Amino acid sequence: MAFAWKASGLTYNKYLSVAASVVRRSLKDTQRLAAEKRGVSELRFAKWNNGKQGDNKNVADANAAAAAEASS
């Protein structure tokens, strides 16, 4: 028998994300707020040219800007 998340077409990472959010929502308010803070992550990147680091940018912001540029 295949895993339920595979049968529904989810990746394992998406399955874990959905399961974690369901668990966080089921907690009481004080515990839920603490768990939600731990669940937030931010990924940053910087381009390097000629051995020098460029500006740090948020990946989510860079993706949104690229999507907006591509759609126009």
Side-chain angles (χ1 to χ4, degrees):
M1 178 177 171
F3 295 107
W5 56 269
K6 267 189 181 178
S8 65
L10 293 175
T11 63
Y12 187 66
N13 285 338
K14 183 65 177 174
Y15 163 74
L16 288 178
S17 175
V18 170
S21 66
V22 168
V23 169
R24 284 187 201 110
R25 281 187 271 150
S26 68
L27 296 172
K28 292 182 180 179
D29 285 339
T30 56
Q31 296 168 334
R32 181 179 50 83
L33 293 173
E36 285 176 354
K37 287 179 186 174
R38 285 192 308 268
V40 174
S41 63
E42 184 175 305
L43 184 61
R44 302 180 72 74
F45 74 97
K47 289 188 179 182
W48 289 73
N49 290 321
N50 297 326
K52 300 198 188 242
Q53 181 180 356
D55 294 332
N56 286 330
K57 296 180 183 175
N58 186 317
V59 171
D61 295 342
N63 285 342
E69 185 179 310
S71 66
S72 57

Coordinates of all heavy atoms in Angstrom, one line a residue:
M1 N 0.8 -1.2 0.0 CA 0.0 0.0 0.0 C 0.9 1.2 0.0 O 1.8 1.4 0.8 CB -0.9 0.0 1.2 CG -1.7 1.2 1.4 SD -2.8 1.0 2.8 CE -3.5 2.6 2.9
A2 N 0.6 2.2 -0.9 CA 1.3 3.4 -0.9 C 1.0 4.3 0.2 O -0.1 4.2 0.8 CB 1.0 4.1 -2.3
F3 N 1.9 5.2 0.5 CA 1.6 6.2 1.5 C 0.5 7.1 1.1 O 0.4 7.5 -0.1 CB 2.9 7.1 1.8 CG 4.0 6.2 2.4 CD1 5.1 5.9 1.6 CD2 3.9 5.8 3.7 CE1 6.1 5.2 2.2 CE2 5.0 5.1 4.3 CZ 6.1 4.8 3.5
A4 N -0.3 7.6 2.0 CA -1.5 8.5 1.7 C -1.0 9.8 1.1 O -1.6 10.3 0.1 CB -2.3 8.7 2.9
W5 N 0.1 10.3 1.5 CA 0.6 11.6 1.0 C 1.1 11.4 -0.5 O 0.9 12.3 -1.3 CB 1.6 12.3 1.8 CG 2.8 11.4 2.1 CD1 3.0 10.6 3.2 CD2 4.0 11.3 1.3 NE1 4.2 10.0 3.1 CE2 4.9 10.4 2.0 CE3 4.4 11.9 0.2 CZ2 6.1 10.1 1.5 CZ3 5.7 11.6 -0.3 CH2 6.5 10.7 0.3
K6 N 1.6 10.3 -0.8 CA 2.0 10.0 -2.2 C 0.8 9.8 -3.1 O 0.8 10.3 -4.2 CB 2.9 8.7 -2.2 CG 4.4 9.0 -2.1 CD 5.1 7.7 -2.4 CE 6.6 7.9 -2.3 NZ 7.3 6.7 -2.5
A7 N -0.1 9.1 -2.6 CA -1.3 8.8 -3.4 C -2.1 10.1 -3.7 O -2.7 10.2 -4.7 CB -2.2 7.8 -2.6
S8 N -2.0 11.1 -2.8 CA -2.8 12.3 -3.0 C -2.0 13.3 -3.9 O -2.4 14.4 -4.1 CB -3.1 13.0 -1.7 OG -2.0 13.4 -1.0
G9 N -0.7 13.0 -4.2 CA 0.1 13.8 -5.1 C 0.9 14.8 -4.4 O 1.4 15.8 -5.0
L10 N 1.1 14.7 -3.0 CA 1.9 15.7 -2.3 C 3.3 15.2 -2.2 O 3.6 14.0 -2.3 CB 1.4 15.8 -0.8 CG 0.0 16.4 -0.6 CD1 -0.4 16.3 0.8 CD2 0.0 17.8 -1.1
T11 N 4.2 16.2 -2.1 CA 5.6 15.8 -1.8 C 5.7 15.6 -0.3 O 4.9 16.0 0.5 CB 6.6 16.9 -2.2 OG1 6.3 18.1 -1.5 CG2 6.5 17.2 -3.7
Y12 N 6.8 14.9 0.1 CA 6.9 14.7 1.5 C 7.1 16.0 2.3 O 6.5 16.1 3.4 CB 8.1 13.8 1.8 CG 8.3 13.3 3.2 CD1 7.3 12.5 3.8 CD2 9.3 13.8 4.0 CE1 7.4 12.1 5.1 CE2 9.4 13.4 5.3 CZ 8.5 12.5 5.9 OH 8.6 12.1 7.2
N13 N 7.8 17.0 1.7 CA 8.0 18.3 2.4 C 6.7 19.0 2.6 O 6.4 19.6 3.6 CB 9.0 19.1 1.7 CG 10.4 18.7 1.9 OD1 10.7 18.0 2.8 ND2 11.3 19.0 0.9
K14 N 5.8 18.9 1.5 CA 4.5 19.6 1.6 C 3.6 18.9 2.7 O 2.9 19.5 3.4 CB 3.8 19.6 0.3 CG 2.5 20.3 0.2 CD 2.6 21.7 0.5 CE 1.3 22.4 0.4 NZ 1.4 23.8 0.8
Y15 N 3.7 17.5 2.7 CA 3.0 16.8 3.7 C 3.4 17.2 5.1 O 2.5 17.4 6.0 CB 3.2 15.3 3.5 CG 2.8 14.4 4.6 CD1 1.5 14.1 4.9 CD2 3.8 13.8 5.4 CE1 1.2 13.3 6.0 CE2 3.5 13.0 6.5 CZ 2.2 12.8 6.8 OH 1.9 12.0 7.8
L16 N 4.7 17.3 5.3 CA 5.2 17.7 6.7 C 4.7 19.1 7.0 O 4.4 19.4 8.2 CB 6.7 17.6 6.7 CG 7.3 16.2 6.8 CD1 8.8 16.3 6.8 CD2 6.8 15.5 8.0
S17 N 4.7 20.0 6.0 CA 4.3 21.4 6.3 C 2.8 21.4 6.7 O 2.4 22.1 7.6 CB 4.5 22.2 5.0 OG 4.0 23.5 5.2
V18 N 2.0 20.7 6.0 CA 0.5 20.6 6.3 C 0.3 20.0 7.7 O -0.5 20.5 8.5 CB -0.2 19.8 5.2 CG1 -1.6 19.6 5.6 CG2 -0.2 20.6 3.9
A19 N 1.0 18.9 8.0 CA 0.9 18.3 9.3 C 1.3 19.2 10.4 O 0.6 19.3 11.4 CB 1.7 17.0 9.3
A20 N 2.4 19.9 10.2 CA 2.9 20.8 11.3 C 1.9 21.9 11.5 O 1.7 22.3 12.6 CB 4.3 21.3 10.9
S21 N 1.3 22.5 10.4 CA 0.4 23.6 10.6 C -0.9 23.1 11.3 O -1.5 23.8 12.1 CB 0.1 24.2 9.3 OG -0.6 23.4 8.4
V22 N -1.3 21.9 11.0 CA -2.5 21.3 11.7 C -2.2 21.2 13.2 O -3.1 21.5 14.0 CB -2.9 20.0 11.0 CG1 -4.0 19.3 11.9 CG2 -3.5 20.2 9.7
V23 N -1.1 20.7 13.5 CA -0.7 20.5 14.9 C -0.6 21.8 15.6 O -1.2 22.0 16.7 CB 0.6 19.7 15.1 CG1 1.1 19.8 16.5 CG2 0.4 18.3 14.6
R24 N 0.0 22.8 15.0 CA 0.1 24.2 15.6 C -1.3 24.8 15.8 O -1.5 25.4 16.9 CB 0.9 25.1 14.7 CG 2.4 24.8 14.7 CD 3.1 25.9 14.0 NE 4.4 25.4 13.6 CZ 4.8 25.1 12.4 NH1 4.0 25.2 11.4 NH2 6.0 24.6 12.2
R25 N -2.2 24.6 14.9 CA -3.6 25.2 15.0 C -4.4 24.5 16.1 O -5.3 25.1 16.7 CB -4.3 25.1 13.7 CG -3.9 26.2 12.8 CD -4.8 26.2 11.6 NE -4.2 25.3 10.6 CZ -4.9 24.6 9.7 NH1 -6.2 24.7 9.6 NH2 -4.2 23.8 8.9
S26 N -4.0 23.3 16.5 CA -4.8 22.5 17.5 C -4.3 22.8 18.9 O -5.0 22.4 19.9 CB -4.6 21.0 17.2 OG -3.3 20.6 17.5
L27 N -3.2 23.6 19.1 CA -2.7 23.9 20.4 C -3.5 25.0 21.1 O -4.2 25.8 20.4 CB -1.2 24.3 20.3 CG -0.2 23.3 19.8 CD1 1.1 23.9 19.6 CD2 -0.2 22.1 20.8
K28 N -3.4 25.1 22.4 CA -4.0 26.2 23.1 C -3.2 27.5 22.7 O -2.1 27.5 22.2 CB -3.9 26.0 24.6 CG -4.8 24.9 25.0 CD -4.7 24.7 26.5 CE -5.6 23.5 26.9 NZ -5.5 23.3 28.4
D29 N -3.9 28.7 23.0 CA -3.4 29.9 22.5 C -1.9 30.2 22.9 O -1.1 30.6 22.0 CB -4.2 31.1 23.0 CG -5.6 31.2 22.2 OD1 -5.6 30.6 21.1 OD2 -6.5 31.8 22.7
T30 N -1.6 30.1 24.2 CA -0.2 30.4 24.6 C 0.8 29.5 23.9 O 1.9 29.9 23.4 CB -0.1 30.3 26.1 OG1 -0.4 29.0 26.5 CG2 -0.9 31.3 26.8
Q31 N 0.5 28.2 23.8 CA 1.4 27.3 23.2 C 1.5 27.4 21.7 O 2.5 27.3 21.0 CB 1.1 25.8 23.6 CG 1.2 25.5 25.0 CD 0.6 24.2 25.4 OE1 -0.4 23.8 24.8 NE2 1.1 23.6 26.5
R32 N 0.3 27.8 21.1 CA 0.2 28.0 19.7 C 1.0 29.2 19.2 O 1.8 29.1 18.2 CB -1.3 28.2 19.3 CG -1.5 28.4 17.8 CD -2.9 28.6 17.4 NE -3.6 29.6 18.2 CZ -3.5 30.9 18.0 NH1 -2.8 31.4 17.0 NH2 -4.2 31.8 18.7
L33 N 1.0 30.3 20.0 CA 1.8 31.4 19.6 C 3.3 31.1 19.6 O 4.0 31.5 18.7 CB 1.5 32.6 20.5 CG 0.0 33.2 20.4 CD1 -0.2 34.2 21.4 CD2 -0.2 33.7 19.0
A34 N 3.7 30.4 20.6 CA 5.1 30.0 20.7 C 5.5 29.1 19.6 O 6.6 29.3 19.0 CB 5.4 29.4 22.1
A35 N 4.7 28.2 19.2 CA 4.9 27.2 18.1 C 5.0 27.9 16.8 O 5.8 27.6 15.9 CB 3.9 26.1 18.1
E36 N 4.1 28.9 16.6 CA 4.1 29.6 15.3 C 5.3 30.4 15.1 O 5.8 30.6 14.0 CB 2.8 30.5 15.2 CG 1.5 29.7 15.0 CD 0.3 30.6 15.0 OE1 0.4 31.8 15.3 OE2 -0.8 30.1 14.7
K37 N 5.8 31.0 16.2 CA 7.1 31.8 16.1 C 8.2 30.9 15.7 O 9.1 31.3 14.9 CB 7.4 32.4 17.4 CG 6.5 33.6 17.7 CD 6.8 34.2 19.1 CE 5.8 35.3 19.4 NZ 6.1 35.8 20.8
R38 N 8.3 29.7 16.2 CA 9.3 28.7 15.9 C 9.2 28.2 14.4 O 10.1 27.8 13.8 CB 9.3 27.5 16.8 CG 9.8 27.7 18.2 CD 10.0 26.5 18.9 NE 8.9 25.6 18.9 CZ 7.9 25.6 19.9 NH1 8.0 26.4 20.9 NH2 6.9 24.8 19.8
G39 N 8.0 28.2 13.9 CA 7.7 27.7 12.6 C 8.1 28.7 11.4 O 8.1 28.3 10.3
V40 N 8.3 29.9 11.8 CA 8.6 30.9 10.8 C 10.1 30.9 10.5 O 11.0 30.9 11.4 CB 8.2 32.3 11.2 CG1 8.7 33.4 10.3 CG2 6.7 32.4 11.4
S41 N 10.5 30.8 9.2 CA 11.9 30.8 8.9 C 12.1 31.8 7.7 O 11.2 32.1 7.0 CB 12.4 29.5 8.4 OG 11.7 29.0 7.3
E42 N 13.3 32.3 7.7 CA 13.6 33.3 6.6 C 14.9 32.9 6.0 O 15.9 32.7 6.7 CB 13.7 34.7 7.3 CG 14.0 35.8 6.3 CD 14.0 37.2 6.9 OE1 13.0 37.5 7.6 OE2 15.0 37.9 6.8
L43 N 14.9 32.9 4.7 CA 16.1 32.5 3.9 C 16.6 33.7 3.2 O 15.9 34.4 2.5 CB 15.8 31.3 3.0 CG 16.9 30.7 2.2 CD1 17.9 30.1 3.1 CD2 16.4 29.6 1.3
R44 N 17.9 33.9 3.3 CA 18.5 35.1 2.6 C 19.7 34.6 1.7 O 20.2 33.5 2.0 CB 19.0 36.1 3.7 CG 17.9 36.6 4.6 CD 18.4 37.6 5.6 NE 18.8 38.9 5.1 CZ 17.9 39.8 4.7 NH1 16.6 39.6 4.7 NH2 18.3 40.9 4.2
F45 N 20.0 35.3 0.7 CA 21.1 35.0 -0.2 C 21.8 36.2 -0.6 O 21.3 37.3 -0.4 CB 20.6 34.2 -1.4 CG 19.9 35.1 -2.4 CD1 20.5 35.6 -3.5 CD2 18.5 35.4 -2.2 CE1 19.9 36.4 -4.4 CE2 17.9 36.2 -3.2 CZ 18.6 36.7 -4.2
A46 N 23.0 36.0 -1.1 CA 23.8 37.1 -1.6 C 24.6 36.6 -2.8 O 25.1 35.5 -2.8 CB 24.8 37.6 -0.5
K47 N 24.7 37.4 -3.8 CA 25.5 37.1 -5.0 C 26.9 37.5 -4.8 O 27.2 38.6 -4.2 CB 24.9 37.8 -6.2 CG 23.6 37.2 -6.7 CD 23.2 37.8 -8.0 CE 21.9 37.1 -8.5 NZ 21.4 37.6 -9.8
W48 N 27.8 36.7 -5.3 CA 29.2 37.0 -5.1 C 29.8 37.3 -6.5 O 29.5 36.6 -7.5 CB 30.0 35.9 -4.5 CG 29.7 35.7 -3.1 CD1 28.6 35.2 -2.5 CD2 30.6 35.9 -2.0 NE1 28.7 35.1 -1.2 CE2 29.9 35.6 -0.8 CE3 31.9 36.4 -1.9 CZ2 30.5 35.8 0.4 CZ3 32.4 36.6 -0.7 CH2 31.7 36.3 0.5
N49 N 30.5 38.4 -6.7 CA 31.2 38.8 -7.9 C 32.6 39.2 -7.6 O 32.9 40.0 -6.7 CB 30.5 40.0 -8.6 CG 29.2 39.7 -9.1 OD1 29.0 38.6 -9.6 ND2 28.2 40.6 -8.9
N50 N 33.6 38.5 -8.3 CA 35.0 38.8 -8.2 C 35.5 38.7 -6.7 O 36.2 39.5 -6.2 CB 35.4 40.2 -8.7 CG 35.1 40.2 -10.2 OD1 35.2 39.3 -10.9 ND2 34.6 41.4 -10.6
G51 N 34.9 37.7 -6.0 CA 35.4 37.5 -4.6 C 34.8 38.4 -3.6 O 35.2 38.4 -2.4
K52 N 33.8 39.2 -4.0 CA 33.2 40.2 -3.0 C 31.7 39.9 -2.9 O 31.0 39.6 -3.9 CB 33.4 41.6 -3.5 CG 34.8 42.0 -3.6 CD 35.0 43.4 -3.6 CE 36.5 43.7 -3.9 NZ 37.2 44.3 -2.9
Q53 N 31.2 39.9 -1.7 CA 29.8 39.6 -1.4 C 28.9 40.8 -1.8 O 29.3 41.9 -1.4 CB 29.6 39.1 0.0 CG 28.2 38.8 0.3 CD 28.0 38.4 1.8 OE1 29.0 38.3 2.5 NE2 26.8 38.1 2.2
G54 N 27.8 40.5 -2.4 CA 26.9 41.6 -2.7 C 25.9 41.8 -1.6 O 26.1 41.3 -0.5
D55 N 24.8 42.5 -1.8 CA 23.8 42.7 -0.8 C 23.1 41.5 -0.4 O 22.8 40.6 -1.3 CB 22.8 43.8 -1.2 CG 23.4 45.1 -1.4 OD1 24.4 45.4 -0.7 OD2 22.9 45.9 -2.3
N56 N 22.7 41.3 0.9 CA 21.9 40.2 1.3 C 20.4 40.5 0.9 O 20.0 41.6 1.1 CB 22.0 40.0 2.8 CG 23.3 39.4 3.2 OD1 23.8 38.6 2.5 ND2 23.7 39.7 4.4
K57 N 19.7 39.5 0.4 CA 18.4 39.7 0.0 C 17.5 38.5 0.5 O 18.0 37.4 0.6 CB 18.2 39.7 -1.6 CG 18.9 40.9 -2.2 CD 18.8 40.9 -3.7 CE 19.5 42.0 -4.3 NZ 19.5 42.0 -5.8
N58 N 16.3 38.8 0.8 CA 15.3 37.8 1.3 C 14.9 37.0 0.0 O 14.5 37.6 -1.0 CB 14.2 38.5 1.9 CG 13.2 37.5 2.5 OD1 12.9 36.5 2.0 ND2 12.7 37.8 3.7
V59 N 14.9 35.7 0.1 CA 14.5 34.8 -1.0 C 13.1 35.1 -1.4 O 12.7 35.2 -2.6 CB 14.8 33.4 -0.7 CG1 14.2 32.5 -1.8 CG2 16.3 33.1 -0.6
A60 N 12.2 35.2 -0.4 CA 10.7 35.4 -0.8 C 10.5 36.7 -1.5 O 9.8 36.8 -2.5 CB 9.9 35.4 0.5
D61 N 11.2 37.8 -1.1 CA 11.1 39.1 -1.7 C 11.6 39.0 -3.2 O 11.1 39.6 -4.1 CB 11.8 40.2 -0.9 CG 11.1 40.4 0.4 OD1 10.0 40.0 0.6 OD2 11.8 41.0 1.3
A62 N 12.8 38.3 -3.3 CA 13.4 38.2 -4.6 C 12.5 37.4 -5.6 O 12.4 37.7 -6.8 CB 14.8 37.6 -4.5
N63 N 11.9 36.3 -5.1 CA 11.0 35.5 -5.9 C 9.8 36.3 -6.3 O 9.3 36.2 -7.5 CB 10.6 34.3 -5.2 CG 11.7 33.2 -5.1 OD1 12.6 33.3 -5.9 ND2 11.5 32.3 -4.2
A64 N 9.2 37.1 -5.4 CA 8.0 37.9 -5.7 C 8.4 39.0 -6.8 O 7.6 39.2 -7.7 CB 7.5 38.6 -4.5
A65 N 9.6 39.6 -6.6 CA 10.0 40.6 -7.6 C 10.2 40.0 -9.0 O 9.8 40.6 -10.0 CB 11.3 41.3 -7.1
A66 N 10.8 38.8 -9.0 CA 11.0 38.1 -10.3 C 9.7 37.7 -10.9 O 9.6 37.8 -12.2 CB 11.9 36.9 -10.1
A67 N 8.8 37.3 -10.1 CA 7.5 36.9 -10.7 C 6.7 38.1 -11.3 O 6.1 38.0 -12.3 CB 6.6 36.2 -9.6
A68 N 6.8 39.2 -10.6 CA 6.2 40.4 -11.0 C 6.8 40.9 -12.3 O 6.1 41.3 -13.2 CB 6.2 41.5 -10.0
E69 N 8.1 40.8 -12.4 CA 8.8 41.2 -13.6 C 8.5 40.3 -14.8 O 8.4 40.8 -15.9 CB 10.3 41.2 -13.3 CG 11.2 41.7 -14.5 CD 12.6 41.8 -14.1 OE1 13.0 42.3 -13.1 OE2 13.4 41.2 -14.9
A70 N 8.4 39.0 -14.5 CA 8.1 38.1 -15.6 C 6.7 38.2 -16.1 O 6.4 38.0 -17.3 CB 8.3 36.6 -15.1
S71 N 5.7 38.6 -15.2 CA 4.3 38.7 -15.7 C 4.1 40.0 -16.4 O 3.1 40.1 -17.1 CB 3.4 38.6 -14.5 OG 3.6 39.8 -13.6
S72 N 4.9 41.0 -16.3 CA 4.7 42.2 -17.1 C 5.4 42.3 -18.4 O 5.9 41.4 -18.9 CB 5.1 43.4 -16.2 OG 6.5 43.3 -15.8

